[in-house]
Amino acid sequence: MKKKLYLILGCLSLFLGVIGIVLPVLPTTPFLLLSAFLFERSSKKFHDFLLENKVFGRYIKDYKEKKGITYKNKVIAITVMTLGMGKSFFSIQNIYGRVSILIIFLGVLVHLLKLKTLKNS
């Protein structure tokens, strides 16, 4: 029962992570890392699929095994996040929406900056 719950939550987290690629309010990386965590506890097949994925696999492995990301990927992540969330911030007129976006942005930015910077490989 526990494995099924982890599998369902892992699929939901993966779905949200993929949506986060195009929707700047949803952060992609935390959802993908959560998916890897949940799949590791529920399905070797899904876990291996995620780690061997051409788009996400290497980044998840670097984060999981080496506890960091490359300088290039930090710059790309911060740039894309700034542009996407900046667009959302200025297009939303609701103060609560703007504050929410700002809090999410600052939280993810601090996390990215605190991550160990790996050498490009």
Side-chain angles (χ1 to χ4, degrees):
M1 181 68 174
K2 197 175 188 181
K3 282 188 174 192
K4 285 184 181 181
L5 179 62
Y6 283 166
L7 181 62
I8 291 167
L9 292 174
C11 290
L12 176 64
S13 178
L14 180 60
F15 177 72
L16 291 172
V18 171
I19 289 174
I21 294 170
V22 293
L23 191 64
V25 177
L26 282 176
T28 301
T29 304
F31 285 117
L32 294 178
L33 294 174
L34 178 60
S35 295
F37 172 83
L38 293 167
F39 288 154
E40 186 174 38
R41 282 148 182 77
S42 63
S43 170
K44 180 171 174 30
K45 178 180 157 185
F46 279 91
H47 185 254
D48 290 346
F49 168 78
L50 192 59
L51 292 182
E52 299 305 320
N53 183 282
K54 291 180 184 179
V55 178
F56 308 121
R58 188 167 133 227
Y59 305 112
I60 294 171
K61 284 180 191 175
D62 283 348
Y63 185 87
K64 186 176 174 187
E65 295 168 5
K66 302 173 188 172
K67 301 291 185 216
I69 61 174
T70 63
Y71 178 77
K72 176 183 170 186
N73 289 335
K74 267 190 187 185
V75 170
I76 290 170
I78 291 170
T79 302
V80 170
M81 181 180 72
T82 301
L83 293 173
M85 293 185 94
K87 180 183 181 304
S88 294
F89 180 85
F90 290 111
S91 66
I92 292 176
Q93 300 303 317
N94 181 314
I95 188 69
Y96 298 111
R98 282 186 165 192
V99 169
S100 297
I101 289 173
L102 186 60
I103 290 170
I104 292 168
F105 174 81
L106 291 174
V108 175
L109 179 64
V110 167
H111 176 70
L112 286 170
L113 293 174
K114 288 175 87 175
L115 281 175
K116 176 179 169 185
T117 303
L118 304 174
K119 293 184 194 277
N120 290 338
S121 54

